[in-house]
Amino acid sequence: MAVSVQSPALRGRGFVRDARKGGAEASRPGTRHLPVRMRIVLRCLGAGWDMEAARVFSDASLREATERKLRRFSKLRGKPVAAGEFWDIVAITAADEKQELAYKQQLSEKMKRKELPLGAQYHVFVDPAGAKIGGYSQRLPSASALGKIFTALPLGDPIYQMLELKLAMYIDFPSHMNPGILVTCADDIELYGIGEFEFIKFDKPGFTALAHPSSLSVGTTHGVFVLKPFNHLKYRDVEYTCCHRFLHKPSIEEMHQYNAVYKPGSFSSVHFAGGDTAYLKLDSEYVYTDSLFYMDHQSAKKLLAFYEEIGTLNCEIDAYGDFLQALGPGATVEYTRNTSNVTKEESELVDMRQRIFHFLKGTPLNVVVLNNSKFYHLGTTEEYLFHFTSDNNIKSELGLQPVAFSIFPNITECSGKTSCIIQSIVDSRCSVAPGSVVEYSRLGPDVSVGENCIISGSHIMTKAVLSPCSFVCSISLKINGHLKYSTMAFGVQDNLKKNVKILSDIKSLQFFGICFLSCLDIWNLKVKEELFSGNKTQLSLWNARIFPVCSSLSDSVTTSLEMLSAIKNKSTFNLNSYELLSIEEMLAYKDVEDMITYREQIFLEISLNKKSDL
């Protein structure tokens, strides 16, 4: 039975590595599966998107192909799958034991509700202690507590989360794949259209990656393939070729230097991928960027043996940057000394990268070029809001809805933007402005939500006005055996990852567009080391102890909204009387079971309401 192991976690960002049944070489249940314990760490793709509008289009062929995949997956939900029809193993990696518990509980609920195909093995593997890459979804903190792979989508009844969507979009892969492993991330969506009787095949030795045409600016934040020249000029939806060299987040100059850039007119007609929300003008230069990749069974076994030989890793290794850059005949060792994309540079990093390079050198990198495809990234608050409320392309191609499995009668549209309500109960007198997303929440009649807000897991029944661009996310906590609540609240454009090394520099941090020092004055908080949790040489909004702990969910939201209101109105709000936590500490104290119970209560109430309407 072939393994299906997930993308080892970027601190909770990883998702799946899968493989199909069959093959004499395949592992048997109970044997050691591929690198579940391996420090492969996946980087979330596509951080830098150009939100400025170029020429956009929605492709009917992508919509039809997506609908077909969703229908096929829907037929498998809650039913046993035949051999070769689905993945043998779906493995999700978690950043720590609490996230592991969260993932297992959510998988258990999905199995009970028959939302996943039966017969596959669903596993969660906690990331080993030590060096890691990435963070706890710091650019989309509403996904931090329960994981990006369980991000709710405005799709389906009951709603799909990213896990189901991933499995649906890859539904055709297992039956056309030799035993091996598929590695993907938890916060991107790949849509592609190919001929009705054509399939993507993963049947070559070594690695095989999907490639999507993208702008050069998108290429600077992705992996870029230097492909062997096409031997024809006719446009095709799918091209099978080899990669001469893989460039990881190259500059535009490097793309030109290594002949990765394609000129307009390479084909008679090309549909460009545009996960960056700005699809290419037809007269633009373009490159082919990466998304997911597959490794055959033999390559997986080799990597596992290599890991067992070297033992514990003490530096971050990236499954994209450090594996794929070693592949292809044009690969050179120079990249191993480039640490510009490294979160934390350890002394043995370069040496370990060089060992991996020499170990993998000579392994082929096959590429499936999907000319008619789009790559969407949901890893930041801006991307999340844009795709769910404003991007008519992904709405059309994926069938996203403004109201998904919710009680909320009034959706308004303004300049093509709508609000988006996901598994929530919103009073008919509540106002939610276009451009905002509400998930897993209850909002009362006297609540007014401004444009471009994100509200997650919250309970607001008192009179409340949320300023435009507010981010509000409530977390259940277990502190000394007692159930408590805290609500993180800030601006959707705040950079939680930006950090400074010393207290005197925190004036460069901004909270809701205002100097953080000024905010501390408004809240009557003193600037001292105890204001920050964790690493005292990396001071940021992420580890600033500014969020009150309360005994009820509703009090928690109300108090944090008063914090925000004080900032917007330049009034005072004394936080000294509260126990305060940082977001970092909230995640350490999170009570997964209570958060899931809250979501389940909303689910049951919506289900009963829908039945009574029949």
Side-chain angles (χ1 to χ4, degrees):
M1 184 165 199
V3 264
S4 152
V5 191
Q6 171 199 315
S7 63
L10 298 193
R11 259 191 128 91
R13 285 192 196 169
F15 163 54
V16 177
R17 312 185 214 169
D18 304 292
R20 70 168 270 227
K21 290 181 170 67
E25 297 280 345
S27 305
R28 299 287 172 188
T31 63
R32 294 196 58 190
H33 299 313
L34 181 83
V36 222
R37 302 182 52 227
M38 192 171 189
R39 279 291 326 122
I40 313 176
V41 267
L42 299 189
R43 188 171 307 282
C44 283
L45 304 180
W49 291 15
D50 178 10
M51 291 291 182
E52 297 300 322
R55 188 168 147 192
V56 299
F57 60 89
S58 176
D59 194 323
S61 66
L62 292 187
R63 182 171 62 251
E64 292 165 5
T66 301
E67 288 174 350
R68 180 190 62 77
K69 295 183 185 83
L70 289 171
R71 283 196 303 270
R72 187 176 169 203
F73 178 72
S74 181
K75 290 178 181 177
L76 295 181
R77 296 178 89 181
K79 298 182 178 65
V81 290
E85 188 179 21
F86 193 63
W87 306 106
D88 295 324
I89 297 174
V90 175
I92 307 172
T93 61
D96 55 35
E97 291 181 355
K98 285 210 168 185
Q99 197 169 67
E100 178 189 27
L101 173 63
Y103 288 3
K104 286 182 175 179
Q105 289 189 357
Q106 290 174 97
L107 280 173
S108 176
E109 289 298 316
K110 287 182 181 296
M111 298 304 287
K112 285 180 192 173
R113 294 206 294 249
K114 298 185 176 180
E115 293 175 0
L116 295 172
L118 307 179
Q121 297 181 47
Y122 297 91
H123 292 293
V124 179
F125 296 100
V126 66
D127 223 17
K132 301 178 188 290
I133 185 171
Y136 283 94
S137 307
Q138 288 171 286
R139 294 181 300 160
L140 186 62
S142 50
S144 297
L146 298 180
K148 279 189 178 179
I149 195 57
F150 295 99
T151 298
L153 300 167
L155 171 72
D157 185 1
I159 58 167
Y160 275 54
Q161 292 178 319
M162 281 297 293
L163 175 61
E164 291 97 290
L165 184 62
K166 286 278 180 180
L167 296 175
M169 292 301 97
Y170 307 155
I171 196 69
D172 296 330
F173 290 176
S175 56
H176 301 278
M177 178 181 287
N178 287 349
I181 293 168
L182 190 75
V183 179
T184 185
C185 294
D187 58 3
D188 58 48
I189 300 169
E190 301 90 6
L191 304 181
Y192 62 92
I194 57 179
E196 184 178 355
F197 302 105
E198 195 168 6
F199 299 97
I200 295 175
K201 293 176 287 189
F202 298 88
D203 57 358
K204 293 183 171 60
F207 287 63
T208 300
L210 300 188
H212 313 270
S214 303
S215 69
L216 272 61
S217 63
V218 171
T220 61
T221 57
H222 288 66
V224 173
F225 298 102
V226 179
L227 301 174
K228 290 188 176 179
F230 296 116
N231 57 8
H232 58 82
L233 293 177
K234 185 179 178 182
Y235 163 79
R236 294 178 182 175
D237 285 345
V238 183
E239 300 281 350
Y240 290 91
T241 186
C242 294
C243 181
H244 176 71
R245 181 177 185 150
F246 180 84
L247 309 174
H248 187 58
K249 298 187 177 182
S251 66
I252 291 176
E253 292 73 22
E254 287 172 322
M255 296 179 212
H256 282 285
Q257 177 186 345
Y258 294 110
N259 298 317
V261 179
Y262 287 79
K263 308 290 183 184
S266 297
F267 298 110
S268 56
S269 130
V270 179
H271 296 291
F272 291 100
D276 55 296
T277 76
Y279 307 130
L280 305 184
K281 294 179 181 178
L282 295 180
D283 59 354
S284 300
E285 294 181 324
Y286 61 99
V287 292
Y288 285 106
T289 56
D290 62 349
S291 59
L292 59 83
F293 70 86
Y294 154 91
M295 63 179 87
D296 73 329
H297 187 64
Q298 287 302 115
S299 298
K301 283 175 61 178
K302 282 176 58 180
L303 278 171
L304 178 57
F306 177 73
Y307 173 69
E308 291 175 333
E309 176 189 331
I310 62 176
T312 303
L313 283 169
N314 297 311
C315 57
E316 62 178 54
I317 295 300
D318 178 3
Y320 284 81
D322 292 318
F323 286 3
L324 300 188
Q325 281 190 104
L327 308 178
T332 64
V333 77
E334 278 78 17
Y335 76 86
T336 59
R337 290 183 284 273
N338 179 3
T339 59
S340 59
N341 293 313
V342 174
T343 307
K344 182 179 180 183
E345 185 176 350
E346 303 289 352
S347 58
E348 64 183 68
L349 176 64
V350 173
D351 178 65
M352 184 54 62
R353 282 179 157 187
Q354 290 179 351
R355 290 183 65 180
I356 292 171
F357 169 79
H358 292 295
F359 175 77
L360 289 175
K361 186 168 174 57
T363 304
L365 176 54
N366 309 290
V367 178
V368 182
V369 176
L370 299 175
N371 284 310
N372 185 21
S373 67
K374 291 186 182 179
F375 174 96
Y376 294 97
H377 188 250
L378 295 174
T380 70
T381 53
E382 291 94 339
E383 293 164 350
Y384 176 85
L385 288 171
F386 178 78
H387 289 316
F388 284 4
T389 69
S390 306
D391 186 353
N392 289 326
N393 296 296
I394 192 172
K395 287 183 185 180
S396 170
E397 293 153 5
L398 198 50
L400 302 184
Q401 301 296 317
V403 178
F405 196 69
S406 294
I407 302 173
F408 182 52
N410 304 317
I411 280 287
T412 57
E413 183 171 342
C414 179
S415 303
K417 283 202 302 189
T418 65
S419 52
C420 179
I421 314 297
I422 308 170
Q423 196 167 317
S424 294
I425 300 172
V426 181
D427 191 279
S428 60
R429 291 161 290 176
C430 171
S431 169
V432 181
S436 291
V437 177
V438 178
E439 64 162 12
Y440 300 122
S441 295
R442 295 175 183 267
L443 304 183
D446 298 319
V447 177
S448 176
V449 180
E451 286 191 332
N452 304 320
C453 294
I454 296 174
I455 302 175
S456 178
S458 296
H459 182 104
I460 314 175
M461 289 295 143
T462 56
K463 183 176 177 61
V465 177
L466 278 76
S467 300
C469 301
S470 297
F471 181 100
V472 177
C473 176
S474 302
I475 303 289
S476 303
L477 310 171
K478 188 61 70 71
I479 301 177
N480 297 324
H482 298 287
L483 180 61
K484 302 285 186 179
Y485 299 90
S486 190
T487 296
M488 59 181 89
F490 42 85
V492 294
Q493 294 181 325
D494 288 349
N495 184 354
L496 304 187
K497 298 179 75 171
K498 181 178 179 179
N499 65 80
V500 296
K501 296 184 183 301
I502 55 176
L503 285 173
S504 59
D505 286 343
I506 66 171
K507 59 182 178 293
S508 66
L509 303 178
Q510 289 205 325
F511 182 94
F512 225 129
I514 295 173
C515 171
F516 189 47
L517 270 180
S518 300
C519 297
L520 296 177
D521 286 339
I522 287 172
W523 297 326
N524 195 25
L525 294 178
K526 290 183 168 52
V527 178
K528 52 185 179 179
E529 278 200 352
E530 290 74 21
L531 180 67
F532 295 90
S533 64
N535 190 337
K536 304 301 183 183
T537 61
Q538 293 184 327
L539 311 177
S540 67
L541 296 183
W542 183 260
N543 63 1
R545 290 183 169 127
I546 57 175
F547 299 111
V549 176
C550 298
S551 57
S552 75
L553 177 57
S554 57
D555 284 350
S556 163
V557 183
T558 300
T559 307
S560 290
L561 289 180
E562 288 175 346
M563 280 178 60
L564 283 189
S565 179
I567 295 298
K568 299 302 288 185
N569 299 326
K570 294 184 170 55
S571 56
T572 58
F573 183 71
N574 194 335
L575 286 178
N576 273 324
S577 59
Y578 294 93
E579 178 185 359
L580 302 175
L581 295 180
S582 66
I583 301 175
E584 179 181 58
E585 288 173 319
M586 285 187 209
L587 298 180
Y589 288 122
K590 67 187 176 189
D591 187 324
V592 169
E593 190 169 342
D594 189 69
M595 284 186 282
I596 293 175
T597 298
Y598 180 65
R599 292 184 176 189
E600 183 67 17
Q601 289 168 348
I602 293 175
F603 176 89
L604 292 174
E605 190 169 331
I606 294 170
S607 298
L608 289 172
N609 181 270
K610 291 170 75 69
K611 285 181 181 177
S612 66
D613 288 342
L614 294 177

